[in-house]
């Protein structure tokens, strides 16, 4: 009995997948557990596993083509089986579903249709009348004929009207300005939108327009953090980055302010007891947010190794759904790109996201004197349905204290 292989939903946000490459060809024997193809989802390239034994009788999607979730991509069965009837039945079912959808859309349109009376546009049949010579002079002098009143028969614009119009323009300017013609060629490139970019666009648009965002910014003195990191790296086998310290300090601050570690679920607010911090990673096609799970229970060296591992796997598209699902808070750090300050869009289903800028050498006042200092700005984007200004500010204040005295996050 032939079995239809459909495009599976490989992530919670996946709507379609691209067949990167088929690892089996028509006529090959397939065993349960064999990898049929590699599929590019919105977040990673994943393996498509067979759950049936038999012969690969049909491949319906070529390498590089995209297909919606649940559509037929292959058929596995016994050698010699007739697959035409299967494909025909599938096509008929699809056509029926399409007709049902079209009928529903038409019914909806009929309900929503509002008749608007037509308004005659008295000017739509009115054509501009001008002599060929008038048109030529107007083009040379850069005069818009619609602004010229014609004195010829039936309002026709003639040479005299153009000359008079030129005199008016000249009299209003001390000198006539002749602009040189710009020579150029219009051109552009069009790049197909990747599955990842489509999902980023959809999810962040939903977040931005459904979650009422507000933003609060705070400066953090990084002097002690710089000194502390230097001492740690003198003995640590794993190099600790400022980002690692920020993740650890954020996890500690979230433990003290659980409302920041919450999710809005339409009819309820979920306050998470676990702390899973998503770390935004820039990749070729957009942005991935792998997660440091239970970040508050991990050491700096553990966090450092895990961030490096996840970042490398993200760039190579080797992440699995378990690596990016379940975030309770997100950090986006652009400091390494020389960005001083920015705001970020909240990552669903978090209540907040922390945007981290770079460390900037800045004059500061210390003991009444102006001295060199190192400041870092962080901006917390908050979902106002859950977090208010007071709770967001309290969280940032705690974060500031922890980063300015990093020994506290090691206790």
């Amino acid at each position: 009995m032939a079995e239809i292989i459909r495009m599976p939903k490989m992530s919670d946000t996946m709507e379609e997948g691209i067949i990167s490459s088929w690892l089996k060809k028509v006529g090959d024997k397939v065993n349960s557990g064999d990898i049929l193809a590699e599929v590019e989802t919105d977040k990673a390239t994943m393996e498509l596993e067979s759950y049936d034994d038999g012969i690969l009788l049909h491949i319906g999607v070529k390498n590089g083509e995209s297909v919606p979730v649940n559509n037929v991509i292959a058929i596995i069965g016994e050698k010699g089986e007739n697959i035409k009837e299967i494909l025909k039945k599938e096509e008929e079912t699809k056509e029926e579903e399409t007709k049902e959808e079209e009928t529903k859309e038409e019914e909806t349109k009929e309900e929503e249709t509002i008749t608007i009376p037509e308004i005659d546009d008295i000017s739509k049949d009115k054509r501009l009348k001008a002599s060929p010579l008038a048109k030529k002079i107007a083009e040379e002098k850069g005069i818009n004929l619609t602004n010229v009143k014609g004195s010829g028969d039936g309002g026709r614009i003639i040479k005299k009207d153009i000359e008079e119009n030129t005199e008016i323009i000249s009299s209003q300017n001390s000198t006539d300005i002749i602009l040189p013609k710009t020579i150029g060629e219009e051109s552009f490139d069009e790049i197909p939108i990747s599955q990842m970019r489509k999902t980023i666009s959809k999810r962040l648009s939903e977040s931005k327009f459904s979650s009422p965002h507000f933003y609060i910014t705070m400066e953090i003195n990084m002097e002690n953090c710089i000194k502390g990191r230097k001492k740690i790296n003198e003995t640590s086998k794993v190099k600790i980055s400022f980002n690692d310290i920020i993740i650890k300090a954020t996890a500690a601050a979230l433990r003290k302010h659980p409302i920041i570690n919450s999710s809005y679920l339409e009819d309820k607010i979920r306050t998470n007891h676990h702390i899973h911090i998503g770390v935004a990673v820039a990749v070729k096609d957009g942005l991935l947010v792998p997660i440091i799970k239970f970040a508050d229970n991990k050491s700096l060296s553990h966090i450092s190794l895990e961030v490096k591992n996840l970042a490398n796997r993200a760039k190579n598209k080797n992440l699995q759904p378990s690596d990016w699902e379940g975030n309770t808070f997100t950090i986006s750090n652009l400091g390494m790109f020389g960005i001083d300050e920015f705001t970020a869009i909240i990552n669903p289903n978090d209540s907040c996201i922390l945007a981290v800028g770079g460390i900037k050498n800045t004059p500061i006042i210390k003991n009444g004197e102006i001295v060199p200092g190192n400041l870092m700005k962080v901006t917390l984007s908050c979902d106002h349905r859950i977090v208010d200004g007071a709770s967001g500010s309290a969280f940032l204040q705690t974060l500031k204290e922890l980063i300015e005295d990093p020994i506290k996050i090691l206790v």
Side-chain angles (χ1 to χ4, degrees):
M1 180 68 179
E3 294 290 338
I4 293 176
I5 309 298
R6 300 180 185 276
M7 174 60 73
K9 190 176 179 70
M10 294 178 163
S11 76
D12 57 338
T13 57
M14 180 177 170
E15 294 184 354
E16 60 182 8
I18 296 175
I19 300 294
S20 296
S21 62
W22 283 100
L23 304 181
K24 298 283 186 179
K25 60 182 183 295
V26 173
D28 284 357
K29 180 174 176 55
V30 177
N31 296 315
S32 178
D34 285 355
I35 305 303
L36 297 175
E38 292 181 337
V39 178
E40 181 185 338
T41 71
D42 53 336
K43 295 180 178 177
T45 300
M46 305 178 72
E47 296 176 337
L48 176 64
E49 183 179 340
S50 172
Y51 296 99
D52 301 292
D53 297 328
I55 303 298
L56 185 57
L57 302 175
H58 170 73
I59 289 177
V61 185
K62 296 178 182 178
N63 289 345
E65 289 185 348
S66 65
V67 57
V69 168
N70 210 39
N71 273 30
V72 177
I73 56 175
I75 297 177
I76 293 176
E78 297 178 3
K79 188 174 182 180
E81 272 193 272
N82 186 357
I83 62 171
K84 290 183 179 179
E85 285 299 319
I86 298 174
L87 293 173
K88 183 180 178 182
K89 187 176 179 181
E90 186 70 24
E91 188 63 31
E92 288 173 352
T93 303
K94 196 171 180 181
E95 287 177 359
E96 287 177 7
E97 290 175 352
T98 302
K99 286 180 181 178
E100 287 179 5
E101 289 179 4
E102 289 176 351
T103 302
K104 287 180 181 178
E105 287 179 4
E106 287 176 4
E107 290 175 353
T108 304
K109 285 179 181 178
E110 286 176 3
E111 292 174 1
E112 296 178 352
T113 299
I114 299 173
T115 304
I116 301 174
E118 291 186 3
I119 300 174
D120 291 333
D121 184 354
I122 60 173
S123 64
K124 66 182 179 182
D125 293 326
K126 186 178 179 181
R127 300 182 64 184
L128 189 67
K129 297 178 181 179
S131 70
L133 181 58
K135 288 180 181 179
K136 182 180 179 182
I137 296 172
E139 184 180 354
E140 290 175 352
K141 295 185 177 293
I143 296 173
N144 188 344
L145 288 176
T146 58
N147 297 327
V148 180
K149 186 176 180 180
S151 61
D153 295 338
R156 189 166 183 259
I157 300 170
I158 58 177
K159 178 184 175 184
K160 174 187 172 186
D161 302 320
I162 299 297
E163 289 174 344
E164 287 178 354
N165 192 77
T166 305
E167 289 174 5
I168 293 170
I169 294 174
S170 299
S171 66
Q172 292 174 348
N173 298 278
S174 57
T175 57
D176 289 335
I177 299 175
I178 301 175
L179 296 177
K181 288 186 178 180
T182 302
I183 300 173
E185 182 180 348
E186 294 182 353
S187 63
F188 55 83
D189 292 322
E190 290 185 345
I191 302 171
I193 298 176
S194 66
Q195 297 301 107
M196 183 185 298
R197 181 60 66 185
K198 287 180 184 177
T199 301
I200 290 171
S201 174
K202 181 180 178 182
R203 284 175 65 81
L204 293 187
S205 293
E206 288 174 353
S207 173
K208 181 66 175 176
F209 298 118
S210 65
S211 304
H213 286 50
F214 75 92
Y215 312 93
I216 47 178
T217 301
M218 184 172 282
E219 285 186 338
I220 298 176
N221 190 324
M222 297 296 288
E223 288 298 320
N224 290 335
C225 189
I226 293 171
K227 293 174 183 177
R229 174 177 174 266
K230 184 177 179 181
K231 285 185 179 180
I232 291 171
N233 283 334
E234 285 175 357
T235 56
S236 176
K237 293 181 180 179
V238 179
K239 186 177 180 181
I240 305 301
S241 68
F242 288 111
N243 196 52
D244 301 329
I245 295 172
I246 292 166
I247 293 171
K248 179 67 176 174
T250 299
L254 288 172
R255 181 59 65 199
K256 292 186 178 182
H257 302 274
I259 193 64
I260 308 299
N261 197 47
S262 301
S263 303
Y264 184 84
L265 303 178
E266 297 302 332
D267 59 340
K268 56 182 173 283
I269 293 174
R270 174 182 293 169
T271 302
N272 300 294
H273 298 148
H274 56 283
I275 295 174
H276 292 351
I277 296 182
V279 182
V281 177
V283 294
K284 182 181 177 182
D285 292 329
L287 195 71
L288 288 176
V289 187
I291 299 167
I292 307 298
K293 296 184 177 180
F294 307 106
D296 56 325
N297 296 331
K298 293 178 177 176
S299 65
L300 280 171
S301 56
H302 189 154
I303 289 172
S304 180
L305 288 171
E306 194 167 340
V307 169
K308 290 181 176 70
N309 177 262
L310 288 170
N312 286 332
R313 287 168 57 202
K315 289 173 182 176
N316 294 325
K317 288 192 173 183
N318 291 328
L319 291 176
Q320 297 301 308
S322 59
D323 295 321
W324 67 68
E325 293 175 352
N327 49 282
T328 63
F329 186 89
T330 303
I331 296 174
S332 180
N333 190 341
L334 294 180
M336 67 284 293
F337 298 108
I339 301 301
D340 294 334
E341 179 184 0
F342 69 105
T343 58
I345 299 173
I346 298 169
N347 188 28
N349 290 308
D350 298 348
S351 63
C352 297
I353 183 172
L354 186 72
V356 181
I359 300 172
K360 189 175 182 181
N361 192 254
T362 309
I364 62 173
I365 298 175
K366 188 175 182 180
N367 299 325
E369 296 182 355
I370 297 177
V371 297
N374 288 283
L375 299 180
M376 178 181 75
K377 287 185 179 181
V378 295
T379 298
L380 188 69
S381 303
C382 307
D383 183 344
H384 218 328
R385 296 173 300 179
I386 310 173
V387 179
D388 56 31
S391 53
S393 300
F395 167 78
L396 281 187
Q397 188 60 49
T398 300
L399 180 64
K400 175 183 172 74
E401 291 172 1
L402 292 171
I403 294 177
E404 289 186 345
D405 190 6
I407 194 69
K408 292 180 180 178
I409 65 175
L410 303 176
V411 178

